[in-house]
């Protein structure tokens, strides 16, 4: 069974940094594209970033480009999101997502909350 | 990276059918057979209910069906049940290796 477990969320001041991790199990992690998707309080889903199965390609939403970095360690079955220069509007639950078929978000973690204070 | 357009709300009585639309452009919905739909119940992570326009993952009831015409995709929930009350999101692959999500539709079972 596919399992994704995020960690690393918490409270951080505006301008600060945080690194999220996502431990994956139940599938061949190194064979799948992965994403981060976030959801602000009372808001809809917002796609954040995507990474190719071997880490050779990444792409970002305009709202986080230049501030966030998605990466992965296939030997550790772990996905990361390095978040720098955090803003109050980055406050959200961040979900780790496995892509399957073509650009379908097949499996989601339970999410980790990031709160950016002013 | 413009969001796909969904109605903010939809409703129906138990046993009825309801259809939720998702409108994009020729650069996303109209250009690729890669539309997916998600159900999110309050306080929970979203779950995939439709992929590749009209395919259901294992375990998703056949009361959920979907289609696409031009730049608009649609999700139909038949035989509405109280348990179907949730927010539904569409998603589509788009040009330049990115995708785009819809704003979500809150489905209320009356």
């Amino acid at each position: 069974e596919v399992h994704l477990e995020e960690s690393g969320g918490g409270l951080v001041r505006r301008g600060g940094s945080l690194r999220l991790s996502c431990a994956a199990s139940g599938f061949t992690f190194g064979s799948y594209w992965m994403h981060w998707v976030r959801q602000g309080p009372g808001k809809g889903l917002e796609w954040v970033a995507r990474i190719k199965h071997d880490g050779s390609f990444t792409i970002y939403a305009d709202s986080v480009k230049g501030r966030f970095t998605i990466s992965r360690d296939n030997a550790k079955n772990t996905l990361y999101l390095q978040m720098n220069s955090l803003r109050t509007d980055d406050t959200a639950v961040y979900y780790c997502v496995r892509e399957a078929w073509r650009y379908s978000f097949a499996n989601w973690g339970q999410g980790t909350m990031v709160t950016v204070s002013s | 990276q413009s969001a796909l357009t969904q109605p903010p709300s939809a409703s129906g009585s138990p046993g009825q059918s309801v259809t939720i639309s998702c409108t994009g452009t020729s650069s996303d919905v109209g250009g690729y057979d890669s539309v997916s739909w998600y159900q999110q119940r309050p306080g929970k992570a979203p779950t995939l209910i439709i992929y590749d326009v009209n395919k259901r993952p294992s375990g998703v009831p056949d009361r959920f069906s979907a289609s696409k015409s031009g730049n608009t995709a649609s999700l139909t929930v038949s035989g509405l049940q109280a348990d179907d009350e949730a927010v539904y999101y569409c998603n589509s692959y788009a040009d330049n290796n990115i995708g785009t999500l819809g704003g979500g539709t809150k489905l209320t079972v009356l």
Side-chain angles (χ1 to χ4, degrees):
Chain A
E1 182 186 355
V2 172
H3 186 68
L4 300 168
E5 185 162 349
E6 302 92 340
S7 60
L11 177 63
V12 62
R13 296 184 79 100
R14 185 176 56 194
S17 298
L18 212 54
R19 187 174 88 152
L20 306 183
S21 298
C22 170
S25 61
F27 65 102
T28 306
F29 179 71
S31 297
Y32 289 88
W33 292 68
M34 297 291 294
H35 300 251
W36 288 98
V37 176
R38 68 183 181 183
Q39 187 169 35
K43 297 185 178 180
L45 302 173
E46 179 187 13
W47 171 78
V48 173
R50 183 189 191 207
I51 186 168
K52 193 175 179 179
H53 55 82
D54 61 0
S56 63
F57 176 83
T58 59
I59 194 164
Y60 300 90
D62 288 343
S63 57
V64 307
K65 200 174 298 181
R67 300 187 299 121
F68 289 13
T69 302
I70 186 173
S71 63
R72 63 193 299 162
D73 186 335
N74 288 346
K76 295 183 178 180
N77 290 343
T78 303
L79 179 72
Y80 303 101
L81 186 67
Q82 177 67 43
M83 304 186 294
N84 298 331
S85 303
L86 281 161
R87 311 189 303 218
T88 54
D89 62 357
D90 293 320
T91 293
V93 174
Y94 285 73
Y95 294 102
C96 167
V97 179
R98 181 182 78 121
E99 177 183 328
W101 301 289
R102 188 178 190 184
Y103 210 86
S104 289
F105 299 153
N107 303 96
W108 300 64
Q110 86 287 350
T112 188
M113 183 72 204
V114 172
T115 302
V116 184
S117 69
S118 55
Chain B
Q1 295 174 4
S2 299
L4 302 177
T5 300
Q6 296 182 239
S9 63
S11 62
S13 300
Q16 289 186 330
S17 294
V18 65
T19 297
I20 297 169
S21 63
C22 169
T23 301
T25 69
S26 58
S27 296
D28 40 62
V29 174
Y32 302 93
D33 286 335
S34 299
V35 178
S36 51
W37 290 89
Y38 306 85
Q39 178 190 66
Q40 186 178 33
R41 295 191 174 100
K44 300 293 187 182
T47 59
L48 176 68
I49 55 173
I50 295 286
Y51 68 97
D52 288 356
V53 176
N54 56 13
K55 297 180 175 60
R56 285 185 307 276
S58 174
V60 174
D62 59 6
R63 300 186 298 104
F64 293 90
S65 62
S67 62
K68 188 187 84 166
S69 178
N71 296 337
T72 298
S74 299
L75 171 73
T76 298
V77 185
S78 305
L80 270 176
Q81 301 178 0
D83 193 44
D84 297 332
E85 193 158 287
V87 179
Y88 292 83
Y89 295 91
C90 61
N91 182 41
S92 174
Y93 185 73
D95 292 346
N96 301 320
N97 279 299
I98 64 169
T100 183
L101 280 155
T105 298
K106 181 175 173 54
L107 174 61
T108 301
V109 181
L110 302 170

